[in-house]
Amino acid sequence: MLPKTPKPAVWKFIKGSAKTLFVLEAVCFAASYGLYYRMNTDQEFRQYINEKYPFALDYYYKIGEIVGDSNIRQTDANYWSSQAAKFNNDRRE
């Protein structure tokens, strides 16, 4: 019979780290997909992102232009400018 030798602690550490890294990557992917989905479906959320994190919205528009929907930026700009004009007209009255 062959004697069993314990596995080195390094392999145990690598195995545990790989599992942790895989779970962390899956969580980050799910969070980023959820954020992309919300930005893709909710125009008011895009406006909030534009006010707080304009660089993130710029990346979203760039991805959209690469994928093929190149008019989202124009649509949002037109909608937000009409909303601002409407708000200014309401304040004057």
Side-chain angles (χ1 to χ4, degrees), residues 39 46-59:
M39 286 178 74
R46 283 196 302 268
Q47 186 174 12
Y48 170 78
I49 293 295
N50 187 37
E51 293 169 359
K52 301 292 183 182
Y53 311 103
F55 63 91
L57 189 65
D58 190 43
Y59 288 132

Side-chain angles (χ1 to χ4, degrees), residues 26-44:
V27 168
C28 288
F29 177 77
S32 65
Y33 178 76
L35 182 64
Y36 176 79
Y37 179 79
R38 188 161 178 202
M39 286 178 74
N40 202 27
T41 57
D42 190 359
Q43 194 171 31
E44 291 178 7

Side-chain angles (χ1 to χ4, degrees), residues 1-2 17-18 20 22 26 29-30 36 44 48 61 76 84-85 93:
M1 249 176 134
L2 294 172
S17 297
T20 303
F22 179 74
F29 177 77
Y36 176 79
E44 291 178 7
Y48 170 78
Y61 288 142
D76 285 346
E93 294 177 357

Side-chain angles (χ1 to χ4, degrees), residues 18-92:
K19 287 179 184 177
T20 303
L21 185 63
F22 179 74
V23 169
L24 182 65
E25 187 176 354
V27 168
C28 288
F29 177 77
S32 65
Y33 178 76
L35 182 64
Y36 176 79
Y37 179 79
R38 188 161 178 202
M39 286 178 74
N40 202 27
T41 57
D42 190 359
Q43 194 171 31
E44 291 178 7
F45 183 68
R46 283 196 302 268
Q47 186 174 12
Y48 170 78
I49 293 295
N50 187 37
E51 293 169 359
K52 301 292 183 182
Y53 311 103
F55 63 91
L57 189 65
D58 190 43
Y59 288 132
Y60 167 76
Y61 288 142
K62 286 180 184 178
I63 290 171
E65 290 168 357
I66 290 170
V67 172
D69 195 5
S70 61
N71 62 353
I72 294 176
R73 189 185 304 247
Q74 290 292 346
T75 304
D76 285 346
N78 292 339
Y79 178 75
W80 296 335
S81 64
S82 69
Q83 289 291 67
K86 181 180 176 184
F87 178 73
N88 289 335
N89 288 338
D90 289 346
R91 285 182 79 188
R92 290 180 192 163

